[in-house]
Amino acid sequence: MKDQETNRTGTSPDNIITLDISSVKSLQIGYHAENILLSFTDEPEFTLKEYIGYTAYEYLGKVTSNRFKTTIRYGRREEVNHDSYIEISIPRSWHGELQLYTQYGYITCTDTIETDRFAAETSEGTITLKEIISPRIRLASSSNSVTLERAKGFVDIHTTSGDISVTSIDGGARLTTSTGQIKAAFASLDNVVECNSLGGNMDLNFSESCNINVDGISKTGEITSGIPEISIRMKPGNVKNVVGLRGKKPFQNIRLTTINGNILLH
């Protein structure tokens, strides 16, 4: 259902979309330059509010839906408007697959996200999230940072030039960037950890409960280990290699690769 407002004053939305998503298994939402503000509510219906500066139908979000999948896509765009944004409110009782995309905007959420699968991607904006509980988590920003406070599940984060920061991970991770920095702390592990960068530094913290098998290299950077069981050795060509086991079986493999960056383990 759409509520098209003819006047936009102050912070009034240009368009409101409300849906019953109780039977929806997959929810995909894609926008152009709009910032995406995500929240979760005790209300029974999904709500999306568009603040885009247009009220004509061709500019408003288009809904395509069947029994299991609902897709919302932005309408016509004549220019990039970095001031435009959308507010998405999702019932906490819903736990399907959620995918968010914006080309130029940022994506942010200060609530706990708990879904069967979660993905968020932006080409030029930042991603800033509080907590995600999901078996599979994928976050991507081509040219900006990704910041996540806490994750429970397997986290796949990719940036090109942005930094990656995750305060606490319970599960496993694949963290990849070209020139950005990687900083992550692992509270517990039940899966592998892979970190890759070209020139960015890595700062990784593993709690004592993590049973780890570490193998990492830095071709021209420095490696520092504050974990006694993990040692550094030289390989042919002055390539630095960090290896070692800590804890007891079953170990989780930690694979670290950087060309010019430094690696710090603690």
Side-chain angles (χ1 to χ4, degrees), residues 189 204-208 210-217 223-234 240-248 251-256 263-266:
L189 292 176
L204 305 175
N205 183 293
F206 296 92
S207 73
E208 292 185 359
C210 295
N211 302 311
I212 54 178
N213 175 16
V214 178
D215 186 3
I217 62 169
I223 300 179
T224 304
S225 173
I227 303 174
E229 298 89 343
I230 308 302
S231 59
I232 295 102
R233 63 189 184 188
M234 297 297 295
K240 297 178 182 66
N241 180 211
V242 57
V243 294
L245 299 170
R246 188 190 71 178
K248 58 185 179 180
F251 296 104
Q252 299 300 332
N253 292 328
I254 313 300
R255 300 292 178 256
L256 314 173
I263 297 175
L264 171 62
L265 301 179
H266 50 97

Side-chain angles (χ1 to χ4, degrees), residues 163-164 177-183 196-204 218 221-222 258 260-264:
D163 295 339
I164 296 172
T177 180
S178 293
T179 58
Q181 314 294 311
I182 297 175
K183 185 173 184 179
N196 301 284
S197 77
L198 293 178
N201 297 330
M202 300 179 191
D203 183 341
L204 305 175
S218 179
E222 299 296 326
T258 178
N260 302 316
N262 302 321
I263 297 175
L264 171 62

Side-chain angles (χ1 to χ4, degrees), residues 36-98:
I36 296 178
L37 286 67
L38 176 66
S39 65
F40 288 78
T41 178
D42 292 328
E43 297 297 322
E45 288 189 316
F46 164 93
T47 303
L48 184 149
K49 297 179 180 180
E50 296 183 295
Y51 300 82
I52 55 177
Y54 301 103
T55 56
Y57 178 78
E58 63 266 28
Y59 297 101
L60 306 179
K62 306 299 188 293
V63 180
T64 303
S65 184
N66 57 38
R67 183 179 176 185
F68 299 109
K69 180 179 178 180
T70 294
T71 301
I72 301 175
R73 295 280 296 172
Y74 66 91
R76 178 181 172 186
R77 294 292 184 270
E78 297 177 348
E79 60 184 15
V80 174
N81 179 7
H82 291 289
D83 294 325
S84 61
Y85 63 98
I86 64 168
E87 294 178 343
I88 300 171
S89 181
I90 296 177
R92 287 191 178 91
S93 58
W94 183 81
H95 295 293
E97 176 182 317
L98 178 60

Side-chain angles (χ1 to χ4, degrees), residues 3 112 130 132 152 183 255:
D3 178 355
T112 297
K130 180 181 179 181
I132 306 174
K152 185 174 183 180
K183 185 173 184 179
R255 300 292 178 256

Side-chain angles (χ1 to χ4, degrees), residues 101-262:
Y101 171 78
T102 177
Q103 187 170 355
Y104 299 106
Y106 63 73
I107 299 171
T108 183
C109 181
T110 58
D111 291 337
T112 297
I113 300 168
E114 187 169 0
T115 60
D116 292 342
R117 188 170 184 175
F118 180 78
E121 182 176 354
T122 173
S123 295
E124 297 189 11
T126 61
I127 298 176
T128 307
L129 305 171
K130 180 181 179 181
E131 180 179 30
I132 306 174
I133 302 172
S134 180
R136 302 291 297 185
I137 302 163
R138 186 178 187 278
L139 310 174
S141 175
S142 297
S143 60
N144 228 313
S145 64
V146 176
T147 303
L148 175 60
E149 287 190 23
R150 184 173 184 272
K152 185 174 183 180
F154 188 85
V155 185
D156 185 350
I157 301 179
H158 175 82
T159 75
T160 301
S161 56
D163 295 339
I164 296 172
S165 176
V166 189
T167 305
S168 178
I169 296 174
D170 291 279
R174 181 183 298 110
L175 311 177
T176 305
T177 180
S178 293
T179 58
Q181 314 294 311
I182 297 175
K183 185 173 184 179
F186 297 87
S188 66
L189 292 176
D190 61 11
N191 212 321
V192 300
V193 173
E194 297 179 4
C195 296
N196 301 284
S197 77
L198 293 178
N201 297 330
M202 300 179 191
D203 183 341
L204 305 175
N205 183 293
F206 296 92
S207 73
E208 292 185 359
S209 65
C210 295
N211 302 311
I212 54 178
N213 175 16
V214 178
D215 186 3
I217 62 169
S218 179
K219 289 191 175 181
T220 62
E222 299 296 326
I223 300 179
T224 304
S225 173
I227 303 174
E229 298 89 343
I230 308 302
S231 59
I232 295 102
R233 63 189 184 188
M234 297 297 295
K235 298 183 72 173
N238 291 323
V239 174
K240 297 178 182 66
N241 180 211
V242 57
V243 294
L245 299 170
R246 188 190 71 178
K248 58 185 179 180
K249 294 182 179 180
F251 296 104
Q252 299 300 332
N253 292 328
I254 313 300
R255 300 292 178 256
L256 314 173
T257 305
T258 178
I259 305 299
N260 302 316
N262 302 321

